[in-house]
Amino acid sequence: MRTTPIDNILPLLSKVKQRQPGQWSACCPAHDDKGPSLSIRELPTGEILLFCFSGCGASAILAALGLDFKDLYPPREPSGREPNRYPRLLTAGQALELLETEARLVAVAAANVLHGVMLHQPDLDRLTQAAGRIAWLREEASALGAHRHD
Ligand SMILES: [Zn+2]
């Protein structure tokens, strides 16, 4: 029986939950994850995209699972072309989802300040983290763009 990458990866993860067809969430194996921070997406080609909302890189996630980048791709068809093996870490939709979450956080903090609610050090740390995540997304997006010109 031929197995697809998703069949190999899902049993290795904990708290796996299907969110919609082709998309799952699970605990990230690369950090001490309380809630499911890991998004797993199966593309129509069978290729898997992994994205940790806490910022773990795909290589760290794969290492924690004992897998390699090639495990994210379906076996090559005998007649097929060599698939594009550049490891894409997130889809545009996932990037926007993360941006939306971080933007909402900043808006909530701003509303709190407006209403005279004191922000504390953890709030400030979280806001700094939001800025860091957005900067990381920009780097990620420009890395993808640069690769496409190869
Ligand atoms: Zn993680």
Side-chain angles (χ1 to χ4, degrees):
M1 199 181 81
R2 190 174 157 208
T3 59
T4 56
I6 197 74
D7 297 324
N8 296 328
I9 289 170
L10 290 182
L12 301 174
L13 296 166
S14 62
K15 292 196 190 166
V16 177
K17 209 164 135 186
Q18 185 152 21
R19 294 174 65 192
Q20 49 185 283
Q23 202 190 337
W24 295 262
S25 63
C27 282
C28 173
H31 77 276
D32 184 22
D33 195 6
K34 304 274 185 286
S37 302
L38 186 67
S39 163
I40 306 106
R41 193 179 288 251
E42 184 185 35
L43 301 183
T45 56
E47 180 186 335
I48 305 301
L49 297 178
L50 295 174
F51 179 69
C52 171
F53 281 89
S54 289
C56 299
S59 51
I61 296 166
L62 288 168
L65 295 174
L67 298 176
D68 197 351
F69 272 115
K70 66 175 161 39
D71 296 308
L72 297 178
Y73 297 90
R76 195 164 21 139
E77 298 289 343
S79 59
R81 294 187 300 121
E82 179 76 26
N84 176 9
R85 291 194 177 265
Y86 181 71
R88 275 174 296 152
L89 307 186
L90 73 172
T91 63
Q94 285 172 321
L96 290 173
E97 195 180 330
L98 181 62
L99 265 181
E100 188 196 333
T101 305
E102 302 304 305
R104 195 182 296 133
L105 183 93
V106 173
V108 167
N112 282 346
V113 171
L114 179 69
H115 295 292
V117 178
M118 276 277 291
L119 294 187
H120 299 286
Q121 191 60 44
D123 303 317
L124 191 63
D125 292 346
R126 184 59 189 83
L127 286 168
T128 307
Q129 189 185 35
R133 284 182 181 181
I134 291 167
W136 174 77
L137 279 173
R138 191 175 65 91
E139 278 166 29
E140 198 71 6
S142 59
L144 290 174
H147 186 84
R148 232 169 251 137
H149 296 298
D150 287 358

